[in-house]
Amino acid sequence: MSQNAISYDKPQPSLTGLHGEFYAWCRDRELRFQRCKGCGRHRHVPRDICAHCSSMEWEWARSSGRGTVFTWTEVVRALHPAFAAVTPYAPVVVEMEEGVRLLSRVVDCTPDELQIGMPVEVDFEKVSDAITLPVFRRAAR
Ligand SMILES: [Zn+2]
């Protein structure tokens, strides 16, 4: 994948607070999730407190980058003008080995090639100097 930013006119994530920290790791081409120091569970989206044990102690733990397709939907009519040129496309929920789920895209297949449980692994798509998005590619079983 190219390290150069592509022309990207779509809405972009907020870079404030814990979300900013998450995307800073992505900018370094590392997928990291919060891991609770109380119970050891991973969590995503980033938040201050563990939903399982209420601990506020956590660390950024590097993900294996491997997961499977949990579900997806196919968008055939863009709800935002910036996506009109890329329909149909499939927002995909990936279930990571760490147990967290992440909304992303599988960039090397069409929506009709997606399958529940399909193994995928993370890649990164630099869309601006500030933002690199985690995306996924098909992986061997
Ligand atoms: Zn916990």
Side-chain angles (χ1 to χ4, degrees), residues 36-41 43 50-55:
C36 176
K37 289 185 173 179
C39 68
R41 288 186 169 97
R43 62 181 185 249
C50 178
H52 297 280
C53 75
S54 302
S55 173

Side-chain angles (χ1 to χ4, degrees), residues 3 15 20-30 124 126 128-133:
Q3 292 293 310
L15 296 181
E21 293 180 31
F22 173 79
Y23 284 105
W25 286 112
C26 290
R27 208 167 41 243
D28 290 342
R29 300 180 64 80
E30 288 190 21
F124 294 92
K126 181 178 180 178
S128 72
D129 287 340
I131 297 178
T132 297
L133 299 174

Side-chain angles (χ1 to χ4, degrees), residues 7 12 30 53 56 64 103 106:
S7 176
Q12 298 182 18
E30 288 190 21
C53 75
M56 295 188 72
S64 70
L103 179 62
V106 179

Side-chain angles (χ1 to χ4, degrees), residues 49-117:
I49 190 165
C50 178
H52 297 280
C53 75
S54 302
S55 173
M56 295 188 72
E57 300 296 317
W58 56 271
E59 63 190 343
W60 287 110
R62 190 166 189 174
S63 168
S64 70
R66 293 186 297 270
T68 56
V69 171
F70 181 76
T71 192
W72 74 93
T73 189
E74 184 173 353
V75 178
V76 294
R77 186 174 66 116
L79 299 177
H80 186 287
F83 292 91
V86 296
T87 58
Y89 67 94
V92 173
V93 176
V94 174
E95 186 166 72
M96 302 302 300
E97 285 184 341
E98 293 82 9
V100 300
R101 294 177 185 153
L102 181 69
L103 179 62
S104 182
R105 294 179 297 127
V106 179
V107 295
D108 62 350
C109 72
T110 60
D112 63 337
E113 294 174 311
L114 289 167
Q115 295 181 349
I116 301 286

